[in-house]
Amino acid sequence: MSSTNIKKAANVLVSATFYMSKRNFGTVGISSFVENLTGLGLAPVILVSLLLTSTAAASERYQSLESIAQVVRETVSAMPVVTSLKNPSIEVLRLSNRLRVVECPEPLSAVEPATGLRGGRISIRVSCKGPRPWSVYVMASLKSEVQVVITTRAMTRGEVLAREDISEKTVLRAPAIQPLLRQSEEALGNALKRSIGEGVELSAAMLKKPTIIRSGEHTLIMAEAGGLQVRVTGKALQHGVVGEIIRVLNLSSKKTVRGKVEADGTITVSRW
């Protein structure tokens, strides 16, 4: 055999071997290679080499997708933020059947990202630290039972929430980025920042302290001096919510003072 034919045969063998290692190449495919090599006089040698390569590729063991998913579920369920949830449900997003990594001879390891949960989703890195190491990132979603406070009727902006306007309900949902209210007491007495419909889950961002007194309204100014309590009529010079310090006009002295708004609408001042 000439050196030229030997080089051609070697090139074909390398290409075929690489191709065969990547695909399940049957006997029909092998025959087409053999026909092209017959003229080189190396068909039997190439055929044996290809069959050996095909057998080795077919015998390669790959890591099962379920074993990868199980490691992800175990890792997520052990996270402190998850163990504090009520009846958490973890779902590993479907892994592609095209994912093929060699079977790991030792237990898989998994690492959660520093960012933690984001809107109920998390990416876990699963790795094999064996002789042929590999790593893949797997997405998982999380839901749990949470108690929320919902409106029982449609309400308009500025309305103050009363007991009959809200109720508590247990739902299955992903952890909220914006905290939701869990108890009715958190909502009672607060006013809505915007109009909402019936059955809306309430969050702290939707509520504000109600305006107890409005600018121009008459109110009672109270002050203590020398163990005596003094009460005079005043006029609010600005809107005020409970606990807020506002300016108020003493209608008797015509002096403007600053005082704290109480729940009943009165204004308490520390000094005249």
Side-chain angles (χ1 to χ4, degrees):
M1 180 184 298
S2 67
S3 61
T4 301
N5 282 348
I6 292 176
K7 289 182 180 180
K8 288 182 179 180
N11 290 334
V12 173
L13 176 57
V14 171
S15 299
T17 301
F18 176 78
Y19 185 78
M20 294 286 289
S21 66
K22 298 296 182 183
R23 300 175 179 272
N24 294 324
F25 206 54
T27 55
V28 174
I30 294 174
S31 297
S32 64
F33 275 107
V34 173
E35 290 174 1
N36 292 329
L37 296 171
T38 301
L40 299 176
L42 288 180
V45 175
I46 299 301
L47 178 58
V48 171
S49 298
L50 290 177
L51 286 174
L52 290 174
T53 302
S54 179
T55 301
S59 63
E60 183 81 271
R61 294 177 63 87
Y62 297 102
Q63 191 74 37
S64 72
L65 299 183
E66 175 54 31
S67 66
I68 296 175
Q70 182 59 30
V71 170
V72 172
R73 283 190 287 266
E74 292 173 354
T75 302
V76 175
S77 63
M79 293 172 59
V81 67
V82 177
T83 56
S84 63
L85 299 176
K86 183 180 180 181
N87 296 329
S89 172
I90 302 166
E91 180 184 1
V92 177
L93 302 190
R94 184 173 179 177
L95 297 172
S96 172
N97 290 328
R98 291 180 295 178
L99 176 62
R100 303 179 76 184
V101 289
V102 294
E103 187 173 56
C104 192
E106 55 187 61
L108 299 177
S109 62
V111 178
E112 63 182 85
T115 53
L117 287 170
R118 287 189 173 181
R121 290 201 171 192
I122 188 170
S123 177
I124 300 294
R125 186 181 70 184
V126 180
S127 304
C128 171
K129 297 181 180 179
R132 299 169 67 183
W134 50 261
S135 292
V136 294
Y137 285 87
V138 182
M139 290 294 298
S141 63
L142 174 69
K143 292 183 178 180
S144 67
E145 291 182 5
V146 295
Q147 181 171 284
V148 296
V149 179
I150 64 172
T151 53
T152 58
R153 65 180 180 89
M155 302 184 70
T156 59
R157 178 176 177 238
E159 277 196 80
V160 178
L161 295 168
R163 181 75 61 180
E164 60 271 17
D165 299 323
I166 56 178
S167 66
E168 296 174 356
K169 181 181 179 181
T170 299
V171 297
L172 185 66
R173 62 177 300 122
I177 296 176
Q178 188 176 49
L180 297 173
L181 301 185
R182 302 287 186 243
Q183 305 291 333
S184 296
E185 284 67 24
E186 298 177 77
L188 290 175
N190 286 291
L192 293 171
K193 289 183 178 179
R194 60 181 176 84
S195 298
I196 57 176
E198 179 183 349
V200 174
E201 297 177 7
L202 296 175
S203 70
M206 298 178 182
L207 307 178
K208 64 179 181 179
K209 291 182 178 180
T211 299
I212 298 298
I213 189 168
R214 297 182 179 278
S215 180
E217 291 182 344
H218 285 199
T219 184
L220 192 63
I221 303 174
M222 295 193 308
E224 288 190 4
L228 298 177
Q229 188 178 76
V230 181
R231 300 186 180 190
V232 296
T233 303
K235 184 174 75 172
L237 299 180
Q238 60 188 109
H239 297 340
V241 301
V242 175
E244 187 177 11
I245 304 297
I246 66 170
R247 293 181 297 110
V248 60
L249 176 67
N250 183 332
L251 295 179
S252 298
S253 65
K254 304 303 180 182
K255 291 177 58 177
T256 297
V257 295
R258 295 175 63 84
K260 178 182 176 183
V261 180
E262 303 295 341
D264 60 359
T266 60
I267 309 297
T268 59
V269 296
S270 59
R271 62 180 181 176
W272 294 106

